Structures are given as C-alpha cells and as structure tokens.
Amino acid sequence: MKIVLAYSGGLDTSVLLSWIKEKYQAEMIAFCANIGQGEELRGLARKAKKTGASKVYIEDLQQEFARAFIFPMIQAGAIYENQYFLGTSIARPLIARRMVEIARAEKADAVAHGATGKGNDQVRFELTAAALAPELEVIAPWRDARFRSAFPGRAEMIAYCAKQKIPVEASAQRPYSMDRNLLHISYEAGILEDPWLDASSKEHRAMYKLSVSPEEAPDEPEYVTLDFRQGDCVAVNGKPLSPLGVMQTLNQLGGKHGIGRVDLVENRFVGMKSRGVYETPGGTILHFAHRQMESLTMDREVMHLRDSLIPKYSELVYYGFWFSPERLALQALVTESQKHVTGTVRLKLYKGNIITSGRKSPVSLYNPHLATMEADPTKAYNQDDATGFIRLNALRLKVAAQVQQKR
C-alpha cells in the first residue's frame, strides 16, 4: 500500500507518519506545501526521511496561494463571525488539492492527514479530496481508536518524539499548537484552552512570531499606500508587486506596528466552540484597504448584495467547501462586482490601529459637487424631489399606524 501524507513536520504529523507506516505496512510519501511557514521548513526533508518516509515532496506554492486563494477571498470581503480572517481555512484546499495530484501521479492508494477528529481541518481536507479525487481512500488517524489509545494527549506525543529523537517545537514549556502560512499564524490548544487566560500579557509575548504588541510598536505612525486594480492590490507605496510580494510587504509593515492580533472564541463546523489566537498583520491591512477602495468605487446595490453574501461565502471557506459549485458561483458574482474597484488608498498605521488617511480613484463614484452642503453647481439633485420620495416611503408606515391606532 502506498500513502501520501500531508506532512508539516510538527508534532502530530511527526508521530503519525511512523504510526501509519507500521499499522498499514505502507510506503509513506510525505508532502509539504510551502505556503509561507518560513523557518519551519528547515530540515523538513531530512526529518521526514528519518521518520520513515520513502519520498518527500516540498513544493513552493506561495505565489499560487496568494494569487488564487487569498486574493479572491479578500475580494469577497470574507471574514468568519466578524473576527477571523480565515488564514488556516483558506490554505487547506490548496494543500489538499496538491496532495491528491501527487497521489495520482505516484499511483498511491490513499491520502492521509493529521487533523484532529474534533476540528475543522479534517472536513476541509476530505471535502477537497471528495470533490477532486473521489476514488482515493482517506486515512485519518485521529479518528482511529488505536491511535487515540496510544496517544491520548500531546504529552504522550511529545514523549514519543523525544524517545524517537524527532525534533519538534512543541514541548511542556510551550504547550500549544501553531499553524503558520503567508496569511497568518494561529495558536490554539494547551494553555489557550482556558478562555480567561490573557494571551496579550507580557508573560506570553514569546508566543507571537509575526508582530510586536501594540504597546511595543513605534511611537510614530507610518503611512502606506495601496494601489488596486479590479479589486486586487497591485502595488504598495507605489512599487508594483505580485500578490505574494503584496502579502510579504504588508506582513512586515503590519507586524512592525502591532496590527492584526485577534483573540477569539469561534464556532467550529463540527459543533463545538474553540478558542484561538491569531496574527494576521498583512491580511488585516489588505482587507481594510480593499473595503475603503470599494466604498469609493462600488455601486451601492452591488455592494449591499455582495455584503449580504459575506457570511455565506465565509462559511463555505471555513467549512471546507472551496471546490463546491456554490462557492464557484459566488466567486463569479464577486469577480463581476470588482470590475471598477480601482484606485489608491492611503492608510496610517499606528500601535495596532489602521486609520484611513485618503482614497482616490479614476472611476470614483463620489461627486463632491453632488454631495456638498453648499449650492450644487451641477443642479443634478433637486432637494424638492425628496418630499415625494419620503412621502412614498412613509406611506406603508402611516397606513399601519392608522390601523393599529383604531384597534
């Protein structure tokens, strides 16, 4: 049997690679997508081979991640439960798609993942596999009672790695899990399972990787401009950049000024609440700037229609339905809505805050002559017309009030 494992080199996948190999008597192929983990990839191939992999794929998917996943999601204005920028959620369909492509190329019998049986990632991986390669078997050790019996908790896994001399960052001194990519870092489990714990205190400052705390950010604000073309950011501070370049530049700027830290309790797809701490410096800036650009250039009814779909779109990403027909249909509407979202936004970054300091566009729908409180030189709007407009809109309210008063 040949199995392709989504491998990160972290605690879970380090343990289950050797466990799957033993239990299934399988040839193991490890696949790791470089989607911006940084130094976490160092020594990964050597670690995977030492742990039992016969072959290791490490592929740089950062450009594709930014262009085909992050940017379309930003265009949609997606944010789950008004707080979460979907950093982990949006990475899973890309990883899973490439994993099944490798499985087909290697003529593998199955794919495997290390997602917990209590979380969202198991759903995201397996829905993608179902949509793209329904013939492949999916192995999920965390849903196997034998695996849970051997490793009932993280302490046993940490001990196993120590015994096998497998280097992992998790330890009794750092008892939480991390997931990093180009869009964010998430922290959860361990000490963070107590929602009363203050993760912003100085005691936990070493946890954060992408940003300083707002208290430690520079005392002087920094201005940044973002140029948009049809809903995508194409330049920062006047410098043309690829989607990857945009994310890398904004991550650096946002991290420097303590932007994008969020501590939230969210509703998992499987039915329970979970507490997570997130750093999304660049994504937070991009999301904010994109909205400012839309405010100047997008038609009101188009904006309101698209906005009404944000909760649904965000759920589809969070739940793992990226390759579903309904997400593709929504994306087509989003793409159409972005045709005129073009121009420049100027922001001020200061101690965790993003402050709008200007916006302009060659296709701006804002007309200062029309909006002015002074005399309108264009005479495009007759204030007398508002009388009939209000009267018609008030009609049903008056009728209802009269009926209710009679009763």
Side-chain angles (χ1 to χ4, degrees):
M1 188 176 191
K2 186 183 288 188
I3 301 169
V4 177
L5 169 68
Y7 179 77
S8 69
L11 180 62
D12 288 16
T13 56
S14 294
V15 172
L16 61 85
L17 191 156
S18 59
W19 187 88
I20 294 173
K21 181 177 182 178
E22 177 187 343
K23 294 300 179 184
Y24 288 83
Q25 295 297 297
E27 177 187 352
M28 298 298 297
I29 297 173
F31 162 61
C32 178
N34 175 5
I35 49 175
Q37 300 95 310
E39 68 276 3
E40 293 177 21
L41 297 172
R42 194 177 300 123
L44 207 64
R46 184 174 67 255
K47 186 194 294 187
K49 289 273 184 78
K50 182 180 178 181
T51 314
S54 64
K55 194 171 183 178
V56 182
Y57 285 82
I58 300 177
E59 298 185 353
D60 191 342
L61 304 181
Q62 293 181 92
Q63 287 281 11
E64 184 178 8
F65 184 38
R67 174 186 54 81
F69 290 79
I70 296 175
F71 270 39
M73 187 177 70
I74 291 291
Q75 285 193 355
I79 181 167
Y80 182 67
E81 296 184 340
N82 292 314
Q83 295 187 88
Y84 174 40
F85 287 103
L86 296 160
T88 297
S89 313
I90 192 61
R92 296 320 188 214
L94 172 59
I95 297 170
R97 185 185 71 182
R98 186 62 189 133
M99 180 169 61
V100 300
E101 289 172 350
I102 290 171
R104 281 176 164 168
E106 291 283 348
K107 295 180 170 53
D109 306 286
V111 293
H113 62 79
T116 172
K118 287 186 174 182
N120 300 305
D121 280 343
Q122 58 180 338
V123 185
R124 296 164 184 156
F125 277 118
E126 295 182 38
L127 289 180
T128 297
L132 303 181
E135 75 280 4
L136 287 173
E137 180 185 351
V138 178
I139 295 172
W142 275 108
R143 300 204 302 268
D144 188 320
R146 296 172 299 172
F147 183 82
R148 295 197 305 275
S149 176
F151 303 102
R154 291 173 64 79
E156 289 80 8
M157 300 178 82
I158 291 169
Y160 176 85
C161 287
K163 183 179 179 180
Q164 299 295 321
K165 297 182 178 178
I166 301 170
V168 290
E169 191 169 352
S171 67
Q173 287 72 43
R174 185 167 287 186
Y176 47 78
S177 67
M178 285 173 42
D179 182 76
R180 178 176 181 175
N181 62 45
L182 185 63
L183 184 54
H184 86 165
I185 294 184
S186 66
Y187 308 92
E188 62 180 5
I191 59 172
L192 297 175
E193 289 176 354
D194 175 9
W196 189 250
L197 181 135
D198 181 5
S200 71
S201 69
K202 289 184 178 180
E203 178 185 356
H204 302 294
R205 65 190 298 179
M207 180 175 73
Y208 298 92
K209 302 284 189 181
L210 296 181
S211 63
V212 301
S213 69
E215 295 93 334
E216 296 173 331
D219 292 329
E220 294 296 323
E222 182 171 357
Y223 289 86
V224 57
T225 61
L226 289 81
D227 296 336
F228 286 87
R229 184 165 60 237
Q230 295 188 336
D232 284 335
C233 182
V234 296
V236 177
N237 288 331
K239 180 182 178 181
L241 293 169
S242 67
L244 173 58
V246 168
M247 294 306 304
Q248 291 172 331
T249 300
L250 295 181
N251 276 335
Q252 188 275 326
L253 286 169
K256 174 183 175 182
H257 291 279
I259 288 164
R261 291 188 178 188
V262 177
D263 184 331
L264 62 92
V265 174
E266 68 202 60
N267 288 294
R268 286 182 183 168
F269 190 19
V270 294
M272 69 187 73
K273 291 183 182 290
S274 69
R275 190 271 187 95
V277 177
Y278 299 95
E279 291 181 274
T280 318
T284 303
I285 295 172
L286 186 59
H287 186 277
F288 185 95
H290 177 256
R291 183 68 189 201
Q292 294 304 311
M293 196 74 268
E294 287 182 330
S295 72
L296 196 66
T297 60
M298 186 180 280
D299 174 79
R300 182 189 71 183
E301 294 306 312
V302 172
M303 177 182 283
H304 291 181
L305 176 61
R306 193 284 312 273
D307 285 358
S308 72
L309 298 170
I310 287 175
K312 180 61 177 178
Y313 185 104
S314 302
E315 281 187 353
L316 291 175
V317 176
Y318 188 83
Y319 293 167
F321 288 97
W322 182 258
F323 292 106
S324 68
E326 61 269 34
R327 201 281 304 178
L328 296 173
L330 285 182
Q331 198 71 56
L333 184 147
V334 168
T335 300
E336 176 68 23
S337 77
Q338 300 295 300
K339 281 186 174 180
H340 304 297
V341 182
T342 296
T344 301
V345 177
R346 184 175 58 217
L347 304 174
K348 181 165 62 175
L349 312 180
Y350 182 64
K351 291 192 175 295
N353 295 291
I354 308 172
I355 303 161
T356 305
S357 60
R359 35 179 118 53
K360 61 182 179 179
S361 170
V363 289
S364 171
L365 297 179
Y366 173 75
N367 185 333
H369 297 301
L370 190 59
T372 181
M373 294 295 183
E374 307 300 326
D376 177 8
T378 67
K379 301 191 185 303
Y381 184 89
N382 185 343
Q383 295 188 46
D384 292 347
D385 293 342
T387 301
F389 175 78
I390 296 168
R391 189 173 290 150
L392 289 175
N393 276 281
L395 179 59
R396 66 185 179 88
L397 304 179
K398 288 183 176 181
V399 170
Q402 290 167 355
V403 170
Q404 289 160 9
Q405 286 170 7
K406 288 180 180 178
R407 293 184 63 186

